[in-house]
Amino acid sequence: MNFILEIFLVCVIIYLLYKIHSLKNNQLSVDSLKEENLLLKNQLTEKESEFNLSIEKLHTSFSQEQSFLKERQLELDNKEKKLITDIKDLENRLFEETEAKKKVTSQKKSSEVRLGNIAETLAPFLDQFEFDPEYCTFLGKPIDYISFGLDEITFIEVKSGNSQLNSKQRKIRDQIKDGLVSWKEVRIK
C-alpha cells in the first residue's frame, strides 16, 4: 500500500508540477497578452491622434475651400453684374445707332426721291435726253413722259442713280414690249 501511496504522491506531485508549469505558462501568456494589449492600445492611440489630426486638416482645408469659393462666387457675381450693365449699355447704344441709321437712311432716300423728281422735271433739258422736248408730254405717274415723235410714240421713264423700275412700271414696260397697246377714241356728247 505504501507503494500505491508513493505512486499516488508521485502522480500528485507530477500533477502539481504540471499545474505550476501551466500557471507559469498562463502567467507568461497573460503577461504577453498584457504587453500585446498595451502595444495595441499605444498603436490605437497613435492612430487616433493621426486620425484626429487628419480630420483637423480636412476641416481646415474645407474651411479654406469654402472661403475661397465664397470669394470666387462674389467675384463672379460682380463680374456678372458688370457684364449685364455692359450688355444693357451696348443694347442702348445699338438701339440709338440703329435709330440714327434709320433716320439717315430715310433722309437719304427722301433726298434721292427729291433729286429724282427734279431730274425727271429737268430731263428734257439735259444732254442725255434723246427726245425733242417740244414733242414730250410730262405725265409724272406711272410713266414720266410720252414722246409723240414724227416716226413713233415712245413711253419714257427717267431714272437717276441706281433706282429701279417699280412693279407697276415693269408691267407697263412689258405690255408695251408685247405689243399690248391699243387706241380708243372716246366721244363725249
Side-chain angles (χ1 to χ4, degrees):
M1 185 102 157
N2 231 353
F3 178 70
I4 292 181
L5 189 60
E6 279 182 20
I7 289 182
F8 177 73
L9 281 175
V10 166
C11 281
V12 168
I13 290 174
I14 289 174
Y15 176 75
L16 285 175
L17 283 174
Y18 171 74
K19 279 294 188 182
I20 289 172
H21 179 68
S22 236
L23 281 176
K24 276 186 174 178
N25 279 342
N26 276 347
Q27 184 61 37
L28 285 176
S29 280
V30 167
D31 288 345
S32 173
L33 284 174
K34 282 183 181 179
E35 273 183 41
E36 191 174 328
N37 190 18
L38 184 62
L39 182 64
L40 286 173
K41 278 184 180 179
N42 287 339
Q43 287 177 346
L44 182 63
T45 304
E46 282 180 28
K47 293 295 180 188
E48 187 179 6
S49 293
E50 288 175 17
F51 180 72
N52 287 336
L53 187 61
S54 293
I55 287 177
E56 258 183 60
K57 286 180 181 178
L58 285 173
H59 277 295
T60 303
S61 177
F62 182 71
S63 294
Q64 288 173 344
E65 281 297 316
Q66 279 187 322
S67 177
F68 172 74
L69 288 174
K70 284 179 184 177
E71 288 175 11
R72 185 69 176 137
Q73 184 65 40
L74 184 62
E75 182 182 326
L76 290 174
D77 288 345
N78 289 336
K79 282 184 178 181
E80 181 182 26
K81 287 177 186 176
K82 184 183 181 320
L83 288 174
I84 289 172
T85 303
D86 291 348
I87 288 171
K88 286 181 182 177
D89 289 345
L90 288 172
E91 286 174 344
N92 289 337
R93 285 178 45 204
L94 177 63
F95 177 76
E96 290 169 1
E97 290 292 326
T98 303
E99 290 300 313
K101 184 178 179 183
K102 284 180 186 177
K103 186 176 179 182
V104 167
T105 303
S106 174
Q107 290 173 347
K108 182 181 177 197
K109 285 183 181 180
S110 178
S111 66
E112 287 173 353
V113 168
R114 281 193 307 268
L115 185 61
N117 289 337
I118 293 169
E120 289 172 0
T121 306
L122 296 176
F125 306 105
L126 298 175
D127 292 337
Q128 295 99 337
F129 198 76
E130 332 171 342
F131 303 93
D132 188 349
E134 288 187 25
Y135 296 118
C136 292
T137 302
F138 180 73
L139 297 177
K141 297 239 185 245
I143 302 296
D144 294 328
Y145 292 94
I146 295 180
S147 172
F148 297 97
L150 298 175
D151 299 328
E152 69 179 346
I153 296 172
T154 308
F155 292 83
I156 304 165
E157 178 60 29
V158 177
K159 292 290 182 190
S160 62
N162 293 326
S163 62
Q164 302 289 319
L165 295 175
N166 64 33
S167 60
K168 192 172 187 179
Q169 292 168 339
R170 283 193 299 273
K171 188 172 182 175
I172 293 169
R173 175 200 63 197
D174 295 343
Q175 288 172 334
I176 293 169
K177 285 184 176 184
D178 292 342
L180 300 173
V181 179
S182 61
W183 170 268
K184 285 273 184 176
E185 189 173 319
V186 178
R187 293 194 176 263
I188 300 178
K189 295 184 179 180

